[in-house]
């Protein structure tokens, strides 16, 4: 009698472990990685400062402040932000292109980043979602 209970218990445990292995998602599917190029950005980094220069689709700025996620760039004092012309919204007194930005413009840059990437010592590369620019005060 005890042998039958033991055998039935072992078979049940084996079937449960097999079903759990079958139910696992295939490689590359399921939850996104919390860090690296395959992560899904979850926090918005807001940088405030002045424009230093524009080179191609990259702008450099002197960072004066930002939200709590921008601390790494605020400590460094500068940031290099990539601009994707198809997805990034640029606004400056009605102008809507990166070429319309002038040196010393005041900038507010919003970008998305993975939370785990922001916890490292080196800040990750940012791609801007939105750039709002204002002429420098005279």
């Amino acid at each position: 009698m005890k042998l039958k209970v033991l055998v039935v218990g072992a078979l049940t445990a084996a079937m449960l472990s097999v079903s759990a292995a079958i139910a696992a998602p295939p490689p590359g599917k399921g939850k996104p990685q919390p860090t690296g190029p395959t992560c899904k950005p979850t926090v918005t980094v807001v940088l405030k400062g002045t424009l230093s220069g524009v080179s191609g689709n990259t702008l450099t700025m002197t960072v004066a402040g930002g939200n709590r996620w921008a601390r790494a760039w605020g400590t460094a004092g500068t940031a290099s932000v990539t601009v994707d012309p198809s997805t990034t919204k640029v606004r400056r007194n009605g102008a809507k292109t990166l070429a319309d930005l002038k040196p010393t413009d005041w900038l507010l840059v919003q970008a998305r980043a993975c939370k785990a990437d922001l916890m490292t010592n080196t800040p990750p590369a940012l791609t801007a979602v939105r750039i709002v620019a204002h002429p420098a005060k005279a």
Side-chain angles (χ1 to χ4, degrees), residues 22-43:
I22 293 173
K29 301 288 185 183
K31 287 186 176 181
Q33 295 295 320
T35 184
T38 60
C39 77
K40 182 179 179 184
T42 56
V43 293

Side-chain angles (χ1 to χ4, degrees), residues 46-89:
V46 178
L47 300 170
K48 298 176 184 178
T50 56
L51 179 66
S52 300
V54 177
S55 174
N57 286 340
T58 304
L59 65 87
T60 55
M61 64 182 291
T62 304
V63 179
N67 64 354
R68 71 182 299 248
W69 302 111
R71 288 181 186 156
W73 292 276
T75 304
T78 62
S80 180
V81 181
T82 305
V83 178
D84 184 4
S86 63
T87 59
T88 303
K89 292 182 181 181

Side-chain angles (χ1 to χ4, degrees), residues 76-138:
T78 62
S80 180
V81 181
T82 305
V83 178
D84 184 4
S86 63
T87 59
T88 303
K89 292 182 181 181
V90 179
R91 300 293 184 263
R92 183 189 188 272
N93 288 350
K96 297 181 180 182
T97 64
L98 190 60
D100 295 324
L101 301 179
K102 306 287 186 237
T104 69
D105 275 355
W106 178 84
L107 295 178
L108 181 127
V109 176
Q110 295 177 358
R112 303 280 292 161
C114 295
K115 194 174 185 179
D117 287 343
L118 295 173
M119 300 301 172
T120 62
N121 292 335
T122 57
L126 293 177
T127 300
V129 175
R130 182 176 296 115
I131 299 171
V132 179
H134 296 282
K137 293 183 180 179

Side-chain angles (χ1 to χ4, degrees), residues 3-19:
L3 183 62
K4 287 182 183 180
V5 172
L6 184 64
V7 170
V8 169
L11 286 175
T12 305
M15 289 188 320
L16 287 176
S17 65
V18 169
S19 66

